[in-house]
Amino acid sequence: MPQTIHTGIKALIDEANAEIETVAAADAIKIAHNDDVVIVDIRDPREIEREGKIPGAFSCTRGMLEFWIDPASPYAKPIFQQDKKFIFHCAGGMRSALAAKTAQDMGLKPVAHMGGGFAAWRDAGGPVEKVEPKKPKG
């Protein structure tokens, strides 16, 4: 029997976008190097290796976000304990909207997401850093 989804991804993204700040890529480019801003790349490592990354961005896969934000978690990352503005981005702006809403709901502030994601950053002329694939251990 097929599942009946009551709240689809479009509704979740619309709800997130209604509750979070969206920063345009052109504006993100202007503030990315400010000391009080952290650009958080929530894309999968394979996406980052394939497309490159925003120089200085902090990589945090979407699956570890809540664990890395919560200071009580054994996986907490010090970067999320700082008094800075966190601007989340993904490839196109959908996952980052959900991530920013989750972070905001957890109490992280201030947070935003970059509308249009990495594609918008690249299209707006933002710098992109090539990332070499990690070598397997062994």
Side-chain angles (χ1 to χ4, degrees), residues 12-13 39 48 76 79 96 131:
L12 290 171
I13 292 167
I39 304 292
I48 296 169
I79 195 163
S96 59
V131 175

Side-chain angles (χ1 to χ4, degrees), residues 10-131:
K10 184 180 180 330
L12 290 171
I13 292 167
D14 288 347
E15 178 185 309
N17 280 319
E19 295 182 26
I20 60 171
E21 177 187 357
T22 299
V23 174
D27 294 330
I29 291 167
K30 292 176 191 169
I31 63 171
H33 295 293
N34 291 4
D35 287 342
D36 62 345
V37 171
V38 176
I39 304 292
V40 181
D41 188 338
I42 63 161
R43 296 175 298 153
D44 182 270
R46 292 175 296 264
E47 291 176 274
I48 296 169
E49 290 171 0
R50 185 175 57 245
E51 303 291 329
K53 65 177 268 189
I54 295 171
F58 177 74
S59 293
C60 172
T61 61
R62 178 67 186 92
M64 289 304 294
L65 183 67
E66 293 87 344
F67 298 96
W68 287 12
I69 289 174
D70 183 355
S73 164
Y75 303 104
K77 296 290 184 188
I79 195 163
F80 287 116
Q81 311 315 313
Q82 299 179 40
D83 187 20
K84 298 190 179 212
K85 179 172 188 162
F86 298 89
I87 302 175
F88 295 87
H89 84 85
C90 60
M94 293 187 285
R95 289 173 288 172
S96 59
L98 297 174
K101 181 177 183 310
T102 296
Q104 183 171 285
D105 289 350
M106 290 179 73
L108 191 68
K109 60 184 178 182
V111 301
H113 96 109
M114 184 168 49
F118 185 75
W121 172 278
R122 189 182 52 233
D123 293 347
V128 175
E129 177 179 281
K130 191 166 177 58
V131 175

